[in-house]
Amino acid sequence: MYAEKIEMHNHNEAPMETKSGRLMIGVKNLSLIFQTNDGPVNALSDINLDIHEGDFVSFIGPSGCGKTTLLRVIADLEHPTSGTIEVDGTSPEDARLNRMYGYVFQAPALFPWRTIADNCALPMEISAQPKARQQKQIDKYLQMVGLQNFHKKYPWQLSGGMQQRASIARALCIEPELLLMDEPFGALDEITRDHLNMELLRIWQETRKTVVFVTHSIPEAVLLSTHIVVMSPRPGRVTKVIESPLPREKSLQLRDSDDFHALAAEIRAVLATDHQID
């Protein structure tokens, strides 16, 4: 069995010291209860989590286990009922106001009446960045995602995979410390998904961003991640955190290796422990 990075547990165990970079996200005893017309819904329960600079962390678990909710708490889009969360030593709200986040949604969420370049410019326009810097950033990141020749195209003129690449470029244009990704490739065909997984790994290695990634796919989590956070059904708890033994530089051929299959089997076994697989 692979070594577990004992940074997150159920109950109240304190995170242990690690040799990773600076602490980017620290979550302690966090719970979240939604109040609905049908009564309270326990979405997250007693979450403890440390994510360090440069990590690629995937949340995986069955539908409704709170993966996206936890991501939204990190992004200051939801607020915990109890417990604490810090982002680089400050509150999620301050981190958001300081534009530490780039957020990539399940759907590209591009405005159809704006060109790809204008969509990428939007978060920089909101923060009143100079036009020259906007153009520089747009050029840089459209080049990085392979859309350097599509500045003047509209979203409806691009494939789904190209639109999602544009949304990644838009998120990167503000130079965030954290890239938060909510199952961004879930709706794509397998071939396109494989291609974008490799593109995302390349971008992560080039930019050294800290990535938090939501997925339902075990192979995707294994291929991309330095750490895999396995979550239980609602209320969302952490069943286990697994530190990947695989190298950071990967290829699709790695999926045929014994190490890849062993790690996938470990994740699958944890998910199956309480009949947690969808």
Side-chain angles (χ1 to χ4, degrees), residues 72-94:
R72 289 173 61 84
V73 169
I74 295 170
D76 194 42
L77 299 175
E78 302 287 355
H79 302 103
T81 306
S82 61
T84 62
I85 175 170
E86 290 188 348
V87 180
D88 200 21
T90 189
S91 70
E93 180 182 17
D94 286 343

Side-chain angles (χ1 to χ4, degrees), residues 60-67 215-216 230-234 271 275-278:
I60 191 166
S63 297
C65 73
K67 302 183 297 295
T215 182
H216 281 94
V230 185
M231 297 183 67
S232 71
R234 184 182 303 138
L271 286 167
H275 307 285
Q276 295 173 10
I277 296 179
D278 296 43

